[in-house]
Amino acid sequence: MKSKLSWIPFIPLALLGAFLKLAQGLFPEGTVMGLSSLALEYLYLGCAALILIFAFVFALADKETASYYLPHRNYPAGIFGLLLALLLAADGANTLFHSFSSGIADVLSIIGAVLALLSAIVFIVLGLNHSFRYKEGKQFSLLNVLPALFCAVRMVLSFVSFTTISIRLADVSLLISYVFATMFFYHYALMLSLTKAKRAVKNCFVYGLPAVAVMIPYGICRLMFAFNSEVIMDNIRSLEITLFGVYILCVLIEITLFVRKQDEIEFVEDDIPRVDLSEEKVEGFIASNQGEDDNDTEQEQDDSVLEARDTEGFLYQELQQEDEEPEDSEEKKAETENFLTEISEENDEDDDRPKDYESRLDDIDRLIIEINGQSD
């Protein structure tokens, strides 16, 4: 597992970067090899960039680290996670209070404050899971990504602030800190959610190690040399960044100790198995495994056409229907020979019976008159 080798260049480069950052406040400008504070700042960020490059190379060469990881009990990460949740809740509430009291509606600031409150809830859950029994967080996959969204909004706010000041006075370290934190918490959410991602665990090393190298020295430097003793709440973000770095460091140490190889774990999906409707499985049952489209196509065909393969093995016989014979056929006569009726075949010309009622009206009238006379 070559990703663990990222610790080898991380330790000296992180210590060198921390010295370069703290030297800006500890020593007068030009004391360290005649370098200015801006040059020291760029060298400090260069150390983080080198850590990123080495971690990326080791992760790219790593073919053994498993794609999934279940967190273990980690008391330091749980403690710092709960402390970070308190700071985020206080920071979000303070930002919302000042936004509404001042009457200036800054959309990004309000969104960042809301995400800070939501991220505080996430870190409470994560801190409890680190300290006590861990439960799989697949059902909380949406919540796990909230810290990444929070860091992304803070990154945008830092970048927007550069438009109003000189680039020499811009706090580039703060921007880089939130960039690395955003990337780390995004892949950390993928890892916690057991999402299908080939490089989620390895990317935690790639972006987590430079995030630690940037955030911890930056936060300590701000607390030591830019502490605001008049408004205590103005120092909360510097403390946040420090705790972010410490929390990430604790998580990376845990992953390093308990990460497994690919052949040591097996990910079982809890999908519902599909019913096998092959011919062997449905043999002996009156069923059809044809699709609806096939059935609709067959129904459109002529109903009189019967295929032998569809009726093979059934107890019936197809009979050809013959044309009906005329009523005066020889077979008809043979069938009615012994009945008390006969079929009359006399010609209509020899029949002297009246055809209808009108032809016998005169005879009926005479008969009625004779009957009346006899009665008189």
Side-chain angles (χ1 to χ4, degrees), residues 1 31 35 56 85 92 114 124 138 141 146 152 170 198 203 224 226 233 238 300 309 317 323 325 329 352 355:
M1 293 183 287
T31 303
L35 299 175
F56 178 77
V114 173
I124 290 175
K138 195 175 183 65
S141 57
L146 287 177
K198 295 182 179 180
N203 284 337
M224 290 179 59
M233 292 301 294
S238 300
E300 293 177 358
R309 62 180 177 85
Q317 182 179 4
D323 296 335
E325 298 178 355
S329 61
D352 56 353
K355 297 286 194 265

Side-chain angles (χ1 to χ4, degrees), residues 17-18 20-22 24 37-48 151 154-155 158-159 161-162 165 167-181 210-222 237 241-242:
L20 293 174
K21 183 65 178 177
L22 294 175
Q24 301 176 32
S37 298
L38 185 60
L40 293 175
E41 183 77 8
Y42 286 147
L43 289 176
Y44 151 70
L45 295 178
C47 292
C151 294
R154 285 288 178 85
M155 176 183 64
S158 300
F159 182 77
S161 65
F162 294 168
I165 58 177
I167 190 63
R168 184 179 179 84
L169 300 176
D171 196 355
V172 182
S173 301
L174 181 63
L175 176 64
I176 300 300
S177 298
Y178 282 123
V179 169
F180 287 137
V212 173
V214 174
M215 300 182 83
I216 294 179
Y218 176 83
I220 294 176
C221 185
R222 293 287 299 178
R237 295 194 176 182
I241 293 178
T242 305

Side-chain angles (χ1 to χ4, degrees), residues 25 87 217-240 242:
L87 289 178
Y218 176 83
I220 294 176
C221 185
R222 293 287 299 178
L223 291 173
M224 290 179 59
F225 307 112
F227 187 82
N228 190 347
S229 58
E230 296 180 357
V231 183
I232 303 299
M233 292 301 294
D234 289 346
N235 306 304
I236 193 171
R237 295 194 176 182
S238 300
L239 187 57
E240 277 180 13
T242 305

